Amino acid sequence: MRIDPKPTPRGASGVPGPRRGRRRAGRHRDRRGRGLRSPLLPQGVPAHNSRSDEFDAVALEAFAEIDAQWHDQIAGLDIAVDEIPRLLPKDPETVEWPDEVTADGAVPLARLIPAGMDVSGAPTRAQIILFRRPLEARAKKGTELLDLIHEVLVQQVATHLGVDEDTIDRGPE
């Protein structure tokens, strides 16, 4: 007696019938091939945004006030967001950051990369990189995070322009 581990579907006559439910190559949506019928949340709902999307919106709002006052002077400055800093001190106890880095102790919160040349010799624009996770860890959502990002951006723009931080808050004269 022979036992087949995968029984063959048989029609009424005992002859194997056509195969149903063949797997397609590529991604498999779910067990029965149906998948989601529609997105779980519409795009207009605030819960649809990810944490990084919300942080980007807060960073743009914090930069908008500075940009309104200093637009002509910072036209060549880009703002970027990175999850975590890629630079860490060798000795966290005696760390001294350069002026281009805004930090809370041994943890950098933002970094200014001045304009220069890339590897292929093309000119690059100056860039402020905000580190999302350290900033979110130091402030709650809402106005506290907005104020912290604004303070960090003021320090970075002041370093970029070579002026005092109070001058950035007052605006150009």
Side-chain angles (χ1 to χ4, degrees):
M1 176 173 180
R2 181 173 170 243
I3 298 177
D4 193 348
K6 294 182 182 177
T8 307
R10 300 192 179 271
S13 63
V15 179
R19 291 189 72 178
R20 293 184 205 168
R22 297 183 83 171
R23 285 189 147 188
R24 291 181 274 170
R27 292 190 341 180
H28 192 262
R29 292 175 74 175
D30 67 14
R31 185 172 164 190
R32 291 178 178 79
R34 294 185 196 122
L36 293 174
R37 306 284 192 278
S38 64
L40 292 177
L41 297 169
Q43 289 185 355
V45 177
H48 184 269
N49 296 337
S50 67
R51 290 177 68 192
S52 62
D53 291 339
E54 291 175 9
F55 184 87
D56 292 347
V58 171
L60 286 174
E61 184 179 346
F63 186 69
E65 182 181 335
I66 299 169
D67 186 44
Q69 294 177 350
W70 294 89
H71 182 73
D72 295 335
Q73 290 85 352
I74 60 174
L77 181 65
D78 293 333
I79 305 294
V81 175
D82 202 358
E83 289 290 313
I84 56 173
R86 304 277 187 246
L87 63 146
L88 293 174
K90 292 180 182 177
D91 184 19
E93 304 296 325
T94 60
V95 65
E96 289 189 31
W97 295 105
D99 291 339
E100 292 83 24
V101 176
T102 300
D104 180 20
V107 180
L109 303 176
R111 178 181 184 193
L112 172 68
I113 299 175
M117 297 286 198
D118 66 1
V119 189
S120 62
T124 61
R125 294 168 50 118
Q127 186 177 43
I128 294 174
I129 301 174
L130 298 171
F131 302 121
R132 181 175 73 87
R133 296 250 175 126
L135 286 166
E136 285 180 337
R138 281 154 182 76
K140 296 177 183 174
K141 288 184 178 181
T143 58
E144 190 176 332
L145 181 61
L146 179 68
D147 292 342
L148 178 62
I149 293 173
H150 178 76
E151 179 182 331
V152 167
L153 286 172
V154 164
Q155 291 173 358
Q156 292 294 312
V157 170
T159 302
H160 174 68
L161 296 177
V163 297
D164 190 43
E165 294 173 19
D166 295 331
T167 307
I168 298 296
D169 282 332
R170 283 181 279 154
E173 296 170 2

